Amino acid sequence: MRKTEQTEPDRSLAAARDHAPQMRDALRQRILADARAALPAPAAARPALGRRWRLEWRWAAPGLAGAACATLAGFWIGAAVPLAPDAPLWALAALDYLDGVALPLMGMVDPLVMEF
């Protein structure tokens, strides 16, 4: 087959291109009006920068406070040095308070009492 020869589908497509149907203006206007009606409403205006910043701060403040407390607790745990067995009595009083009140509340028992 030569390039100049046209097959039946080529001739049909060429005829369809030459005689393309035209849309009536009334139909076109109706389609455009229906499309405009289907569009979502425009988004509401964003709050002012100062107000938005306050909203974000209210959301972030509890997380920042928790992170600060965790940092301080980690620093205290890392910096606290256990007392030597021959420590003075006034230094052991704090440990007595911890053993007597805080550890039972936390559900922990002193390992020395458990006879390790």
Side-chain angles (χ1 to χ4, degrees):
M1 177 170 28
R2 290 183 246 157
K3 286 190 171 189
T4 57
E5 292 181 13
Q6 287 186 335
T7 61
E8 186 63 31
D10 290 337
R11 278 181 277 186
S12 298
L13 291 173
R17 272 193 300 270
D18 293 340
H19 305 294
Q22 297 297 320
M23 188 181 304
R24 294 186 317 240
D25 287 337
L27 179 61
R28 179 175 303 186
Q29 295 302 322
R30 181 175 171 201
I31 291 172
L32 291 175
D34 289 345
R36 284 188 196 105
L39 287 175
R46 294 173 55 186
L49 181 60
R51 180 179 169 165
R52 192 175 79 215
W53 184 83
R54 281 187 301 236
L55 290 174
E56 291 172 358
W57 179 251
R58 286 184 195 159
W59 174 80
L64 291 174
C69 289
T71 302
L72 290 175
F75 179 76
W76 182 82
I77 290 170
V81 178
L83 292 175
D86 58 348
L89 289 176
W90 61 266
L92 293 175
L95 292 178
D96 289 339
Y97 177 76
L98 182 68
D99 289 340
V101 176
L103 290 177
L105 288 175
M106 291 186 290
M108 299 171 62
V109 181
D110 187 11
L112 295 176
V113 175
M114 295 170 54
E115 298 178 359
F116 279 122

